[in-house]
Amino acid sequence: MVSTTQHSQMLRDKVAVVTGASRGIGKGIAEALGEAGATVYVTGRTEDDAAATVPLPGTIHATAQAVTELGGVGIAMRCDHSRDEDIEALFVQIQREHGHLDILVNNAWSGYQAMQRGEPGFQTKFWKLPPQFWDTMFAVGVRAHYIASVYAARLMVPRKTGLIATISFAAGQKYTSNVAYGVSKNAVDRMAQDMAYELRPEGVAVLSIWPGTVRTEMLEQRIGDKPTAYIESPRFVGRGIAALAADPNVLEKSGKIWNTRQLAHLYHFSDIDGTLPPLKKQWMPK
């Protein structure tokens, strides 16, 4: 097993963006990139717990501080990913401050927010939902990922290097919870595949990442201390992306779906408790 300390500073001098990183998987990814020494722009809307749109802890400033404490450089930047101008401003600032970008992690997604607020609807048949439910899966999700990738690619292509990773899930290949959810995840996976095709000659890799069940703040709130089967930490997801970003042959892996446990076995990294989770066939991409 390769320890975290052995990966320390492997992304030093790399500049990364993690979208939707106030909490949850995004926060864990930002922290893992910080462990590896990267400068990480942490985006999201929550700057104050009291003003959060969901009843869960976490702010962009707290995540940025954690990134710095772990060995990287955390930079909090408020960004509403439903606003194209906010996304553009983020990359303009990165261009001004660093002149390049090495890693984009598309994680911002509004699909769980109603469930996080305790509102019904996530496991409801599509004809019983207002048509606007579709937008909760696609606006801050597929569309926001596309726009961020446009601006990220413009910073990566001139240098002929870079990694764009988008967080998805197996719901894109098998019905899970509701129609819009599955279609949005399938769209993310296909978008990564097609972007990879266009960016391969430019030296930029694009991947879709499937986590397993992750112990986010939302899950903690739902299950508490109940005994469960193995659940990944948010930082475990990030360690997979950090390993990909440090791989000089990452372009060979471009255009594919990778789940987090595959990456752990491929790159020999552990979760925060030192364990290497077993592979699960139901999480293996087809």
Side-chain angles (χ1 to χ4, degrees):
M1 182 60 58
V2 177
S3 70
T4 303
T5 54
Q6 287 176 274
H7 288 303
S8 178
Q9 300 302 303
M10 67 184 182
L11 297 181
R12 186 179 180 184
D13 299 326
K14 301 293 185 182
V15 178
V17 171
V18 183
T19 71
S22 299
R23 61 187 65 84
I25 290 175
K27 178 182 179 182
I29 293 169
E31 290 175 340
L33 295 176
E35 282 182 333
T39 294
V40 185
Y41 282 78
V42 176
T43 80
R45 293 178 298 170
T46 307
E47 296 188 86
D48 181 347
D49 278 320
T53 58
V54 294
L56 296 169
T59 69
I60 54 174
H61 300 291
T63 299
Q65 181 179 346
V67 168
T68 301
E69 290 173 351
L70 286 163
V73 177
I75 302 171
M77 185 166 179
R78 190 186 189 284
C79 181
D80 182 342
H81 285 273
S82 69
R83 293 169 52 88
D84 295 0
E85 57 268 36
D86 280 19
I87 301 173
E88 182 179 12
L90 165 67
F91 292 94
V92 168
Q93 181 168 328
I94 293 168
Q95 171 69 49
R96 182 173 63 249
E97 295 178 349
H98 296 279
H100 73 280
L101 178 68
D102 300 286
I103 304 158
L104 167 65
V105 182
N106 285 312
N107 173 73
W109 187 56
S110 62
Y112 281 145
Q113 288 195 3
M115 184 164 53
Q116 289 167 342
R117 291 190 292 265
E119 300 169 9
F122 197 83
Q123 294 182 316
T124 301
K125 300 296 188 285
F126 77 93
W127 67 90
K128 298 180 180 180
L129 289 166
Q132 294 76 16
F133 180 81
W134 175 272
D135 298 328
T136 68
M137 304 288 157
F138 278 80
V140 181
V142 183
R143 188 176 191 280
H145 298 340
Y146 179 85
I147 294 169
S149 298
V150 167
Y151 291 115
R154 290 177 184 178
L155 293 177
M156 295 174 176
V157 167
R159 299 176 72 239
K160 296 292 185 180
T161 186
L163 170 67
I164 298 173
T166 298
I167 303 303
S168 184
F169 190 57
Q173 295 191 8
K174 183 178 181 180
Y175 180 84
T176 305
S177 299
N178 64 74
V179 172
Y181 179 44
V183 177
S184 72
K185 297 308 179 186
N186 188 271
V188 163
D189 292 340
R190 180 53 189 261
M191 183 167 67
Q193 179 183 358
D194 287 0
M195 285 182 176
Y197 179 83
E198 293 189 356
L199 284 171
R200 181 179 295 276
E202 310 298 336
V204 177
V206 188
L207 309 167
S208 192
I209 305 295
W210 288 1
T213 302
V214 182
R215 190 173 288 278
T216 61
E217 296 88 349
M218 182 180 74
L219 189 63
E220 289 277 7
Q221 191 179 74
R222 291 172 60 192
I223 68 173
D225 296 327
K226 294 178 182 177
T228 60
Y230 182 81
I231 298 177
E232 301 169 7
S233 75
R235 204 180 301 177
F236 180 72
V237 183
R239 287 179 176 177
I241 293 173
L244 286 164
D247 184 348
N249 299 313
V250 68
L251 202 60
E252 297 175 1
K253 300 168 179 64
S254 188
K256 299 177 182 178
I257 298 168
W258 295 86
N259 72 41
T260 48
R261 300 189 185 195
Q262 276 180 309
L263 295 175
H265 285 260
L266 176 65
Y267 291 110
H268 308 292
F269 63 85
S270 63
D271 207 335
I272 57 174
D273 62 358
T275 61
L276 175 63
L279 288 171
K280 294 281 188 177
K281 286 186 179 180
Q282 64 265 36
W283 289 333
M284 296 294 285
K286 295 179 181 178

